[in-house]
């Protein structure tokens, strides 16, 4: 078991309590509510992909009540330009992420923790560094761009390999963009979120990096 300082232990416990509350809220969503939210999130991402025309993006397969719906990889692939690639994560034994190309629903196989992953060749953990758009899961994101995941640290590690020019976007349900979240030094921020009602909401870009744009939606409310 890792050892925590008093401050780190407080943040760790606060994260755990916040996760419990957020997961309970998601479980309370009805099937029609989840489907409607997924459709709106998908539409916003399709618009974003068609405007950016990236050569490589990463996504994931949402499970359960996660925003975006299980069809998300196919929706993203359909929006990509010809010859562009969509990579999906492959969970490693140490909870880090490898990556493999998505080749359609038939290429997905069951993986641990209820997830599905592509059965194609592994491209290495650094494959994410070539992505221009990185779509990530989150339970919540605060107005600094700090995200709360499920606690394994997989995306915190993966995000350290993302190019500074890439757009990192977390998918949320309404009400999951919050004022502030408990944070620890290893937490990595995202540059934008997508919510069903608010669409794409960018955060201030790092110095020297142009902020993403979305018609009519250019600030976090």
């Amino acid at each position: 078991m890792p050892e925590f300082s008093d401050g780190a232990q407080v943040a760790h416990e606060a994260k755990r309590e916040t996760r419990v509350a957020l997961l309970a809220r998601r479980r309370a969503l009805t099937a029609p509510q989840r489907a409607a939210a997924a459709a709106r999130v998908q539409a916003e991402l399709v618009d974003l992909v068609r405007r950016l025309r990236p050569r490589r993006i990463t996504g994931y397969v949402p499970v359960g009540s996660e925003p975006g719906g299980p069809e998300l990889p196919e929706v993203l692939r359909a929006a990509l330009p010809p010859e562009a690639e969509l990579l999906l994560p492959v969970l490693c034994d140490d909870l880090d992420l490898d990556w493999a190309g998505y080749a359609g629903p038939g290429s997905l196989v069951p993986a641990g923790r209820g997830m599905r992953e592509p059965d194609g060749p592994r491209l290495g953990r650094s494959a994410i560094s070539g992505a221009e758009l990185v779509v990530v899961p989150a339970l919540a994101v605060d107005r600094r761009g700090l995200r709360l995941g499920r606690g394994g640290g997989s995306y915190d590690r993966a995000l350290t390999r993302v190019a500074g020019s890439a757009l990192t976007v977390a998918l949320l349900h309404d009400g999951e963009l919050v004022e502030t979240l408990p944070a620890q030094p290893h937490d990595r921020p995202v540059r934008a979120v997508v919510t069903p009602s608010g669409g794409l909401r960018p955060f201030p870009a790092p110095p020297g990096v142009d902020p993403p744009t979305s018609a009519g939606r250019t600030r976090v409310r």
Side-chain angles (χ1 to χ4, degrees):
M1 291 290 292
E3 294 183 3
F4 295 98
S5 67
D6 288 347
Q9 183 65 42
V10 168
H12 179 74
E13 289 300 320
K15 282 184 172 183
R16 185 188 65 78
E17 293 172 4
T18 303
R19 285 189 189 99
V20 169
L22 288 165
L23 287 169
R25 186 177 183 273
R26 283 188 175 183
R27 286 193 295 270
L29 294 171
T30 65
Q33 286 173 326
R34 291 197 301 268
R40 290 194 289 267
V41 167
Q42 291 171 10
E44 190 72 25
L45 285 173
V46 166
D47 177 68
L48 178 63
V49 169
R50 287 176 175 169
R51 287 188 293 104
L52 293 180
R53 298 185 61 80
R55 291 163 294 180
R56 172 180 285 184
I57 71 173
T58 71
Y60 62 99
V61 186
V63 297
S65 57
E66 287 186 326
E71 312 87 359
L72 181 64
E74 191 64 15
V75 170
L76 289 173
R77 186 175 73 148
L80 283 170
E83 309 304 323
E85 34 178 15
L86 167 61
L87 306 186
L88 301 183
V90 178
L91 189 65
C92 303
D93 290 340
D94 62 359
L95 300 185
D96 206 339
L97 297 178
D98 203 331
W99 302 90
Y102 175 69
S107 69
L108 297 176
V109 297
R113 304 186 177 209
M115 298 186 299
R116 289 184 295 159
E117 61 188 30
D119 61 0
R122 302 323 189 221
L123 302 178
R125 303 181 191 202
S126 63
I128 193 173
S129 65
E132 298 160 73
L133 173 63
V134 176
V135 180
V136 304
L139 293 177
V141 174
D142 71 16
R143 294 178 185 274
R144 299 168 293 177
L146 292 177
R147 61 177 287 279
L148 180 70
R150 290 181 177 262
S154 301
Y155 272 94
D156 287 320
R157 278 177 273 185
L159 289 173
T160 65
R161 306 179 185 118
V162 173
S165 58
L167 175 58
T168 50
V169 181
L171 307 186
L172 302 174
H173 286 293
D174 290 333
E176 294 175 350
L177 175 59
V178 300
E179 193 62 35
T180 187
L181 286 168
Q184 294 173 279
H186 64 263
D187 293 330
R188 292 291 180 267
V190 294
R191 293 187 57 201
V193 300
V194 170
T195 63
S197 295
L200 179 69
R201 298 179 176 217
F203 299 108
V209 177
D210 292 334
T213 59
S214 179
R217 299 186 179 114
T218 57
R219 64 185 176 91
V220 176
R221 293 193 292 264

